[in-house]
């Protein structure tokens, strides 16, 4: 945007400088016409007129240099604006690409969530209501994990090894008894790898 502003500032400056050149050129042309017409006859007036024409020519030259200098600046501002516009387009293309990939990932995740939610519903329907209630309560209290595997004598929820007496109790409990970790109170799931 700064480069574009500089470019339009230069364009305005160029127009102004060209108008200045034009004014001087017109004035010189008028003087030259007067000189050529022969209406000025006094040597002093003629000399003055010639001197003014010469000074106007010098002034026109100076102003034309200003125009050239402004044009050069304008050209480099245009180039810079062009380059930056290209870069903006390339960055925007990257953003668009990343956005498309993100949206695709969201879509996939939403699909996975829908599948997992359905699976959970089926499993939850098979769990007794009071156990499900306990599980949901623990899950809320324990950062999303209401039940954990008992693996090699350790609770996989809190990673604590269970005490011998506790292990003995669990070993003695009926297979359908709900056992819980003494430490974190999560429901413990017994498997062949529980170390009982
Ligand atoms: Zn635990």
């Amino acid at each position: 945007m700064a480069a574009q502003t500089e470019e339009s500032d230069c364009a305005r400056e160029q127009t102004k400088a060209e108008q200045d050149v034009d004014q001087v050129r017109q004035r010189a042309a008028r003087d030259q016409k007067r000189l050529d017409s022969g209406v000025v006859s006094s040597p002093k007036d003629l000399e003055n007129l010639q001197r003014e024409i010469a000074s106007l020519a010098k002034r026109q030259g100076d102003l034309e240099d200003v125009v050239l200098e402004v044009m050069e600046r304008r050209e480099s501002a245009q180039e810079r604006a062009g380059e930056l516009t290209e870069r903006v387009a390339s960055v925007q293309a990257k953003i668009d690409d990343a956005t498309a990939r993100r949206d695709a990932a969201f879509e996939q995740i939403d699909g996975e969530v829908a599948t997992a939610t359905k699976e959970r519903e089926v499993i939850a329907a098979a769990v007794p209501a009071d156990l499900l209630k306990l599980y949901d309560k623990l899950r809320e209290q324990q950062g999303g994990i209401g039940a954990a595997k008992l693996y090699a004598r350790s609770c996989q929820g809190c990673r604590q090894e269970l005490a011998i007496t506790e292990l003995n109790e669990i070993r003695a409990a009926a297979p359908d008894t709900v056992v819980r970790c003494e430490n974190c109170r999560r429901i413990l799931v017994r498997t062949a790898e529980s170390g009982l």
Side-chain angles (χ1 to χ4, degrees), residues 48-117:
N48 283 341
L49 201 53
Q50 276 165 338
R51 196 178 299 128
E52 184 174 291
I53 288 169
S55 127
L56 285 171
K58 162 91 174 57
R59 173 103 184 101
Q60 186 179 332
D62 291 347
L63 287 170
E64 279 167 350
D65 286 346
V66 171
V67 171
L68 284 177
E69 185 266 326
V70 173
M71 278 169 79
E72 270 170 29
R73 268 196 288 132
R74 184 182 177 183
E75 220 166 90
S76 63
Q78 263 170 341
E79 245 172 63
R80 179 112 182 96
E83 269 172 33
L84 290 169
T85 303
E86 265 175 44
R87 271 170 64 190
V88 166
S90 125
V91 169
Q92 188 58 52
K94 278 184 195 163
I95 292 171
D96 291 347
D97 177 57
T99 304
R101 281 187 289 123
R102 183 203 60 190
D103 290 347
F106 272 155
E107 210 171 296
Q108 194 188 336
I109 291 164
D110 286 347
E112 283 167 13
V113 167
T115 306
T117 304

Side-chain angles (χ1 to χ4, degrees), residues 118-167:
K118 252 185 220 145
E119 281 171 6
R120 188 191 188 277
E121 273 169 22
V122 172
I123 294 164
V127 175
D130 53 347
L131 180 57
L132 192 65
K133 204 176 153 194
L134 173 68
Y135 168 78
D136 281 335
K137 194 183 85 184
L138 288 168
R139 188 175 168 226
E140 202 178 303
Q141 287 170 354
Q142 301 289 348
I145 301 169
K149 230 192 257 185
L150 176 61
Y151 177 80
R153 301 179 172 200
S154 291
C155 165
Q156 294 298 287
C158 64
R159 307 270 161 188
Q160 296 283 316
E161 192 171 330
L162 272 62
I164 294 290
T165 49
E166 209 186 337
L167 285 167

